[in-house]
Amino acid sequence: MALAEPSSSGRFGEFGGRYVPETLVPACHELERAFRSAWGDPTFRNELDGLLADYAGRPSPLTECHRLSEELGVRVLLKREDLNHTGSHKINNVLGQALLAKRMGKTRLVAETGAGQHGVASATAAALMGMECMVFMGEVDIERQALNVFRMKLLGAEVVPAVSGSRTLKDAVNEAMRDWVATVETTHYCLGSVMGPHPYPWMVREFHTVIGTEARAQCEKLLDGGVPDIVTACVGGGSNAIGIFSGFADTDAELVGVEPAGGAAVGRGVPGVVHGMKSYLMQDEFGQVQEAHSISAGLDYPGVGPEHSFLSSIGRARYEAVTDEQVIDAFQLLSRTEGIIPALEPAHALAWISRDREQLAGKTVLLNMSGRGDKDVGQMMDILG
Ligand SMILES: *Cc1c(COP(=O)(O)O)cnc(C)c1O
């Protein structure tokens, strides 16, 4: 099966949907109509393809890891999203949404951010297109991520502290949605992953299918028309994973998402409603949303995109969890064997390959290298000394 469009109510099986206040329903409808029309319009597609090529640097290469493969006994191929402008896959989504916002006549973007990576990407796209940008960020995260806050300001964005609740990512999402309700005439909400109310999980997936489409063609060339045995990616909200899965959903390749052990929404969560969608969610025994904990701030989200919950429920994809210690080892392993310092997020996927290498012996595994590690070297220096 190829990844399907969600139902008219925005569902993937029982997951997804649109659980938002009345006041947001018209904005979601307007966005869905605008996206559907843009996505079917060759002029929009050509303009976006042009930006992805000439601004973001696509196509990203496929790299065969000879020394790593020899060490693990598993043939590892990397899809190099770390080589995109701004250093991760996130640019695919923000260029798509900013271009769409412009087409809708909006002049302002609001965004939420946790570690600051999506805020930086949104501010980048806004600068490129001459739009205003306001980024909501938990007060706690603002203190922890001073460098990204400064980057956003350099790019001309305003960073607004979210002061409610635990003052982290989930509170920033709520405040961004609140701003959007009040300013929808002029403003587009640029959501950072395949989550939230319909049409976001579908729209953000479509903006990332370029990863899977390129990787499929690159694998066919390298593997003489074949496909890898396994396609794997880290899962926070799940956008880089769904992007690469989309290129292989109709093949025999096994799809494996890797979550942090402290934020394993699919692996350990239960179905619930948060941020406008129904999906697996980390909850305590009283049904309260639990804080996620991970060495990688980019994966610190207690929920997961609804399509991953669906793919898990039908058995098309499976989800593994790795510990912070395993991630730290994988971070060093790739640096030492291939000269590629990975972001801590995709180091989760490599940590799974490394941990389970005996079961994976002799297989070919395609890993989505969702981002580069420059942002994480300071943190690793503190840990490794
Ligand atoms: C933000 C980020 C992620 C997590 O987001 P997904 O939506 O799960 O892809 C993963 N890797 C990198 C490098 C990121 O910046």
Side-chain angles (χ1 to χ4, degrees), residues 81-82 86-90 115 117-118 192-195 204 208 233-242 296-300 304 308 342-347 368-372 375-376:
E81 293 299 296
D82 58 318
T86 68
S88 82
H89 67 294
K90 286 189 167 73
Q117 297 302 116
H118 175 60
S193 191
V194 284
M195 353 168 296
V204 176
H208 281 303
C234 63
V235 175
S239 67
N240 88 87
I242 212 78
S296 148
L299 299 181
D300 255 357
V304 66
H308 286 290
L344 285 170
E345 293 90 350
N368 197 15
M369 182 49 50
S370 56
R372 58 177 172 243
K375 68 181 178 58
D376 299 318

Side-chain angles (χ1 to χ4, degrees), residues 68-83:
L68 173 72
S69 301
E70 183 158 330
E71 183 147 338
L72 293 178
V74 181
R75 186 177 183 188
V76 180
L77 312 176
L78 300 181
K79 179 61 175 160
R80 300 294 305 279
E81 293 299 296
D82 58 318
L83 295 179

Side-chain angles (χ1 to χ4, degrees), residues 173-198:
V173 175
N174 289 331
E175 297 200 15
M177 281 194 182
R178 223 169 286 146
D179 180 288
W180 188 34
V181 179
T183 60
V184 67
E185 289 289 304
T186 58
T187 300
H188 171 70
Y189 176 21
C190 185
L191 213 159
S193 191
V194 284
M195 353 168 296
H198 181 55

Side-chain angles (χ1 to χ4, degrees), residues 58 80 165 173 212 240 252 258 297 353:
R58 302 205 73 91
R80 300 294 305 279
V173 175
N240 88 87
D252 291 338
V258 183
I353 298 174

